[in-house]
Amino acid sequence: MEDNLSLRVAERAEDRGGILRLTLAASDGRELPPFEAGAHLDIRVTGEGVDLWRQYSLCGDPRERGAYRLGILKDPASRGGSRALHALARPGAVIEASAPRNHFALAEAAPRSILLAGGVGVTPMLAMAHRLHALGRDFELHYCTRSRAVTAFLEEIDAAPFRDRVRFHHDDEGTLYDPAALPAPGEGAHLYVCGPQGFMDWLIEAAERAGYPSERIHREYFSADVELSGDSFEVEARASGVTVTVGPDETIAKALERVGIAVEVKCEEGVCGTCLTTVLEGLPDHRDVFLTPEEKAENAEMTVCCSRALSARLVLDI
């Protein structure tokens, strides 16, 4: 990608809960491109037997231009990306990354914002808290973890100007967040949810039951449990003039690659939206967590890294 950045690991710190905190600076010492609260970097992870692109949220103050700050969980269920970064991202190491991208943007004019973070899902929420504080907005950050002993960023939050807006919830202390505490939907609050999939699904379902409209429930999944297999179907890549059969255990992206059509894929879980493709004909079987329910109902686009077909044939603008 033409806009990729060369970043140097300026600082590295091991935090609680298996979270690696990285400070990245431009390799050439220049000022970094600005980012908005909620943005992430696509990072190329090479070494330790992997060559992958993975997405990590920026957790620093968006007003800072000299560094990007990340928090990366060493996930035991990882397919290799987080483990490799924990091993390779030493001070002085050079990392290839995209310019900041944002699929989890703040509605900055909202009368109130409720930030709901589970574990490492706090990373984009910290950037949001910095921004909302700078704007003088009304907000709360609820940070949920299994215990205080595995809660990262404690010292940073304690020193932050918004520390009085943060509420901690630890499973082992019986202080779980109660969705009944959400503001009434009629008050105009916007909700932001990020964390493990089960945590997110629980809170999103509670908010929907309470009457929150989908446009005021903002979500970002770091990973998702996705079933990739299913019945075979046909895909016509109309712009390329090629038709291919997608096998039962094959993704659309892999089937297209097999016949020489390269589709850029990064997360492989329907999380990042990199492979989003226009649907010209047919009915997709949406298995991603990137598109909203309304967008899925429109069937205008689909993620070809994980989604399949409900019709016997799909025609895609590839």
Side-chain angles (χ1 to χ4, degrees), residues 40-61:
H40 69 271
L41 297 180
D42 294 331
I43 288 183
R44 187 177 184 185
V45 186
T46 57
E48 297 289 303
V50 301
D51 188 349
L52 306 166
W53 284 93
R54 291 294 178 260
Q55 295 70 43
Y56 298 103
S57 292
L58 291 156
C59 60
D61 188 336

Side-chain angles (χ1 to χ4, degrees), residues 257-268:
E257 182 183 24
R258 176 163 50 81
V259 294
I261 301 173
V263 179
E264 187 177 13
V265 172
K266 288 186 175 176
C267 72
E268 303 176 84

Side-chain angles (χ1 to χ4, degrees), residues 166-179:
V166 182
R167 304 290 180 268
F168 293 96
H169 305 272
H170 305 302
D171 295 356
D172 63 352
E173 295 178 10
T175 56
L176 296 176
Y177 179 75
D178 183 0

Side-chain angles (χ1 to χ4, degrees), residues 1-7 32-36 39-44 53-56 58 68 70 95-103 264 266 274:
M1 294 169 60
E2 292 181 0
D3 59 352
N4 277 3
L5 305 172
S6 177
L7 303 175
L32 291 166
F35 72 95
E36 297 175 345
H40 69 271
L41 297 180
D42 294 331
I43 288 183
R44 187 177 184 185
W53 284 93
R54 291 294 178 260
Q55 295 70 43
Y56 298 103
L58 291 156
Y68 292 148
L70 306 175
I95 291 173
E96 180 184 1
S98 70
R101 301 168 61 199
N102 200 348
H103 303 309
E264 187 177 13
K266 288 186 175 176
T274 299

Side-chain angles (χ1 to χ4, degrees), residues 236-251:
E236 177 189 343
R238 179 154 292 174
S240 302
V242 173
T243 298
V244 65
T245 298
V246 180
D249 297 307
E250 188 176 34
T251 66

Side-chain angles (χ1 to χ4, degrees), residues 40-123:
H40 69 271
L41 297 180
D42 294 331
I43 288 183
R44 187 177 184 185
V45 186
T46 57
E48 297 289 303
V50 301
D51 188 349
L52 306 166
W53 284 93
R54 291 294 178 260
Q55 295 70 43
Y56 298 103
S57 292
L58 291 156
C59 60
D61 188 336
R63 292 173 296 184
E64 184 178 9
R65 296 295 301 276
Y68 292 148
R69 302 184 188 279
L70 306 175
I72 300 168
L73 172 67
K74 189 175 184 179
D75 186 353
S78 163
R79 287 169 293 156
S82 68
R83 289 197 303 271
L85 268 180
H86 274 248
L88 299 168
R90 303 289 174 183
V94 175
I95 291 173
E96 180 184 1
S98 70
R101 301 168 61 199
N102 200 348
H103 303 309
F104 193 40
L106 272 173
E108 294 185 347
R112 191 176 181 189
S113 299
I114 310 298
L115 314 179
L116 303 167
V120 75
V122 76
T123 50

